Amino acid sequence: MSKTDPKIKVLLIQPITIFTSAFDFKNTIVTHLLEIATNVNLRFNHNSRVSVEVINLIDENVFRPDSIGQYDKHIKSLEQFLIKFNDGSDLIFGISCFSSNYYISSLVLAKVIRNLFPSSLICVGGYQVNYFTNEFIFPRAIENRKYDKKLFDFIFLGESDKKFAEFIEDRLQSGAIHSNPDESCQIIQCGLIDNLETLPFIDYSLMKTPKSPFLFIPIYFSKGCPFSCTFCGDFRNVYKSKERWRLVSPKEAFSRLRELIRYYEDITSQVQIFDPLWAYPDWRIDFYKMLQNYEITQELWAEIRIDQFSNKEVKYLKPLNFTLAFGLESASHRMLRIMKKTQDPKKYLSRFSSFLPELDAAGIYVICNILFGHPGENDLSMMKTMNFIENLAQMAENFVPSLSKYMLIPGSDVFTNYKYYVDRYQSKFHYRHYWTIPKCSAISSSMVDPSDKISYLDVIKVFSQWAPNFYSKCIKNFNNKKGRDFIYQRYLNEMVLGPRLYWKNKILQDYNDFGEKNDVMVETEHFWNTIF
Ligand code: SF4
């Protein structure tokens, strides 16, 4: 490698949810890409030839078409944005297809990059790539169409945090840093990272977007989850191994949190511990003890399973600024068993009812996640849940309901074993491969008739009729104009009035306007013909 060799720019890009601009959160920190970028940066610390940058396309505002009609105009602005990186450097792109929602935009992005920079290397990774690898090598949506170029040079499966940096180094050493049109797409198996403590602290400066105002600042202390909730698309399903839940020690977690807060010291956004499953009681108590001796201005948020929470945690939580989210999901014993949340629903529900007032008295805010419309649901089960959660809201002042409509997620038990739900409950999945449809995926993924007793429209009515009134009652408890009160006032207001998720009336309209299945399929065919 000589000094005159061109520079190499590694661009790690988070795509968008196409045709659903209301669905993507702006101003979020893309932690999973920052982890990869940090490893690349460290590996080439002394090599000024290589630079790395994380781009959250959602924040760049250059590619957010809301309809097919806006598509061409937005492609032009995307091209103008990308062309800025054409400064003579060799470019290596890493696209994160983190979820099914990013499938169309990942393919479109690869196509635009291939046209603008034919010799650049284009890599892709993420959950969706792990679940549907072939859809990135030979996308079904574009087979038999005129497009004949390779979209991706490399597909990364597994956890590429470290492996991507090794890959860049190998490429540099071999000099193979350009795309070879004669070579087919290659798969790189990364496996899992055994010891998370071998990962460096994240270098947040690698994301160039302004530091403020973030909605929240995410941090992770673990990867994977040993549980098997049927609606969840957690990564463990890829590896079919419950033993692959890994977490750092409380001491390491505390140092990482301090590092994060040091970087974002002026920002008051909530710090969210985003682990799918956040540790266990003794681990958390050690962590709370360390936090008690540390001054922290930000609010903290974490999600804990009801059956993994212990009352003995309350006294350690009391002096801390914590919000805890619990995935209750349903109050129907039958549904809790179907969802594989618990085998003892009675104990599960009474446990939550017993520690909720204790947490409330200790000043801990509690978010309660509820899922309506999971396969198997019927009128009675939804009614039981509504009654139960209304009672809970009477038991605690700092109580925030978070109600969601069931969405089909690739990798989940329901997705994989959908035939079981069809046979057992007569569930109907209107668009099982919804991510190739050029329409709002928040809607298409949730078009599931839970059983022969109710349709998805019956579930939507819960959100348009009962939920706004219930949210309105809960808002009244949050009176302060700052801190957590302000955050939850704003959140609940949005749920009632709906600027973000617009449940109240527009969502019904959107479902009604979605179109007949045949028309949707014709539109989908036309879309893919037009863009490829
Ligand atoms: S919902 Fe939470 S506890 Fe259940 S499998 Fe997913 S990550 Fe694990």
Side-chain angles (χ1 to χ4, degrees):
M1 194 187 306
S2 82
K3 280 191 174 160
T4 52
D5 283 340
K7 289 193 183 305
I8 292 169
K9 213 172 248 175
V10 180
L11 299 169
L12 301 175
I13 307 183
Q14 169 87 354
I16 56 144
T17 305
I18 204 164
F19 307 130
T20 325
S21 60
F23 197 55
D24 283 329
F25 289 115
K26 294 189 90 178
N27 298 324
T28 51
I29 300 169
V30 204
T31 313
H32 55 285
L33 285 182
L34 278 169
E35 278 177 352
I36 298 173
T38 302
N39 279 289
V40 172
N41 202 39
L42 280 177
R43 194 165 277 253
F44 298 101
N45 210 2
H46 304 296
N47 184 346
S48 57
R49 203 183 147 206
V50 180
S51 67
V52 60
E53 189 177 329
V54 172
I55 298 163
N56 188 355
L57 215 49
I58 298 158
D59 288 337
E60 300 297 340
N61 247 337
V62 289
F63 184 54
R64 290 175 74 77
D66 266 335
S67 64
I68 296 180
Q70 296 177 354
Y71 179 80
D72 285 344
K73 189 174 132 219
H74 282 251
I75 284 290
K76 284 208 173 64
S77 67
L78 176 63
E79 285 171 348
Q80 280 161 7
F81 170 74
L82 289 170
I83 207 80
K84 286 191 295 196
F85 296 100
N86 190 13
D87 61 358
S89 304
D90 286 321
L91 298 174
I92 300 179
F93 290 90
I95 298 173
S96 165
C97 194
F98 192 70
S99 85
S100 50
N101 297 326
Y102 298 147
Y103 180 68
I104 292 181
S105 63
S106 294
L107 262 56
V108 167
L109 195 52
K111 183 190 167 209
V112 170
I113 292 170
R114 185 65 78 215
N115 281 348
L116 291 176
F117 313 108
S119 65
S120 67
L121 284 181
I122 308 179
C123 309
V124 66
Y127 281 17
Q128 185 72 2
V129 185
N130 279 274
Y131 295 138
F132 295 99
T133 311
N134 268 339
E135 297 236 358
F136 291 80
I137 305 175
F138 309 109
R140 248 182 306 169
I142 64 171
E143 69 184 358
N144 306 326
R145 297 182 209 281
K146 52 187 181 289
Y147 192 79
D148 61 356
K149 290 183 194 150
K150 173 175 56 169
L151 283 172
F152 301 102
D153 296 289
F154 293 95
I155 286 180
F156 284 73
L157 299 183
E159 293 168 352
S160 53
D161 312 45
K162 288 182 183 175
K163 194 81 178 181
F164 189 74
E166 285 169 30
F167 160 82
I168 306 268
E169 188 161 54
D170 289 349
R171 292 268 124 192
L172 274 180
Q173 277 169 3
S174 64
I177 48 169
H178 296 129
S179 175
N180 181 346
D182 299 326
E183 262 179 17
S184 51
C185 173
Q186 292 176 47
I187 292 176
I188 297 186
Q189 296 281 359
C190 306
L192 298 188
I193 295 159
D194 287 327
N195 181 357
L196 299 188
E197 297 197 7
T198 60
L199 290 174
F201 286 134
I202 289 178
D203 182 349
Y204 294 94
S205 68
L206 295 171
M207 201 171 132
K208 298 281 187 275
T209 320
K211 288 206 287 182
S212 176
F214 288 121
L215 275 176
F216 55 84
I217 305 174
I219 188 165
Y220 292 84
F221 301 136
S222 67
K223 286 182 190 276
C225 173
F227 290 95
S228 306
C229 309
T230 49
F231 50 85
C232 176
D234 185 79
F235 219 29
R236 77 197 183 291
N237 293 311
V238 175
Y239 292 95
K240 311 234 180 307
S241 163
K242 290 188 176 178
E243 282 71 52
R244 305 316 304 266
W245 177 47
R246 296 137 292 150
L247 78 164
V248 300
S249 66
K251 195 165 163 235
E252 175 73 10
F254 180 62
S255 325
R256 283 173 190 239
L257 181 70
R258 268 198 324 205
E259 202 64 26
L260 175 88
I261 288 169
R262 204 170 293 145
Y263 187 75
Y264 290 113
E265 60 183 352
D266 302 331
I267 295 177
T268 52
S269 316
Q270 213 173 38
V271 174
Q272 298 202 343
I273 298 167
F274 238 46
D275 296 2
L277 180 72
W278 183 37
Y280 46 86
D282 288 344
W283 187 107
R284 288 193 296 265
I285 287 172
D286 284 350
F287 183 75
Y288 303 145
K289 283 182 186 163
M290 286 181 239
L291 271 180
Q292 281 170 4
N293 300 319
Y294 180 63
E295 220 169 278
I296 167 169
T297 50
Q298 288 94 342
E299 322 265 348
L300 293 163
W301 176 103
E303 194 161 13
I304 302 182
R305 273 180 68 100
I306 289 171
D307 53 6
Q308 297 294 302
F309 183 76
S310 159
N311 295 47
K312 66 184 183 185
E313 293 180 58
V314 178
K315 77 170 181 197
Y316 298 99
L317 279 162
K318 195 171 176 180
L320 304 172
N321 251 349
F322 247 104
T323 293
L324 294 182
F326 291 93
L328 180 79
E329 314 307 356
S330 175
S332 147
H333 290 196
R334 194 178 64 85
M335 286 312 298
L336 286 168
R337 284 203 185 91
I338 292 175
M339 292 178 184
K340 297 202 177 127
K341 282 303 288 186
T342 177
Q343 285 312 310
D344 190 347
K346 200 170 163 203
K347 187 170 162 200
Y348 175 89
L349 294 172
S350 66
R351 195 182 162 88
F352 188 54
S353 307
S354 81
F355 66 65
L356 175 65
E358 271 187 71
L359 282 169
D360 193 52
I364 309 303
Y365 284 45
V366 171
I367 297 180
C368 179
N369 298 328
I370 296 288
L371 192 59
F372 286 108
H374 184 285
E377 188 95 86
N378 58 29
D379 275 330
L380 185 63
S381 60
M382 290 202 295
M383 189 59 74
K384 280 186 178 164
T385 304
M386 288 185 264
N387 289 339
F388 188 80
I389 191 171
E390 280 183 356
N391 280 335
L392 290 178
Q394 307 280 331
M395 293 161 63
E397 285 195 354
N398 304 319
F399 179 79
V400 185
S402 168
L403 314 173
S404 303
K405 159 104 183 66
Y406 172 76
M407 287 181 181
L408 185 61
I409 299 181
S412 65
D413 179 75
V414 178
F415 186 93
T416 311
N417 300 315
Y418 74 102
K419 286 200 175 117
Y420 166 79
Y421 297 89
V422 173
D423 292 345
R424 182 82 175 77
Y425 307 107
Q426 284 75 54
S427 308
K428 187 171 175 195
F429 301 89
H430 291 256
Y431 297 101
R432 193 162 164 266
H433 290 89
Y434 57 87
W435 52 87
T436 59
I437 296 173
K439 278 179 167 282
C440 173
S441 54
I443 292 184
S444 51
S445 61
S446 65
M447 289 176 96
V448 174
D449 296 336
S451 63
D452 54 349
K453 306 285 185 291
I454 54 169
S455 74
Y456 70 88
L457 283 173
D458 296 315
V459 183
I460 297 303
K461 281 186 200 142
V462 170
F463 290 89
S464 61
Q465 294 172 4
W466 171 77
N469 292 334
F470 177 53
Y471 279 131
S472 299
K473 283 186 206 154
C474 297
I475 293 178
K476 293 191 184 117
N477 290 334
F478 301 100
N479 299 318
N480 268 330
K481 293 274 175 278
K482 53 186 184 183
R484 285 176 293 184
D485 265 29
F486 178 69
I487 294 175
Y488 297 121
Q489 235 175 54
R490 193 178 56 183
Y491 166 77
L492 290 168
N493 263 317
E494 285 186 0
M495 290 299 120
V496 178
L497 303 171
R500 190 188 303 147
L501 290 181
Y502 51 86
W503 279 115
K504 198 166 181 185
N505 293 318
K506 189 172 181 310
I507 195 81
L508 256 184
Q509 190 62 39
D510 283 356
Y511 274 89
N512 287 329
D513 289 350
F514 200 81
E516 292 298 320
K517 184 146 189 175
N518 278 347
D519 296 339
V520 171
M521 295 335 275
V522 169
E523 197 181 334
T524 301
E525 182 72 11
H526 173 71
F527 169 76
W528 287 100
N529 268 333
T530 312
I531 65 165
F532 281 96

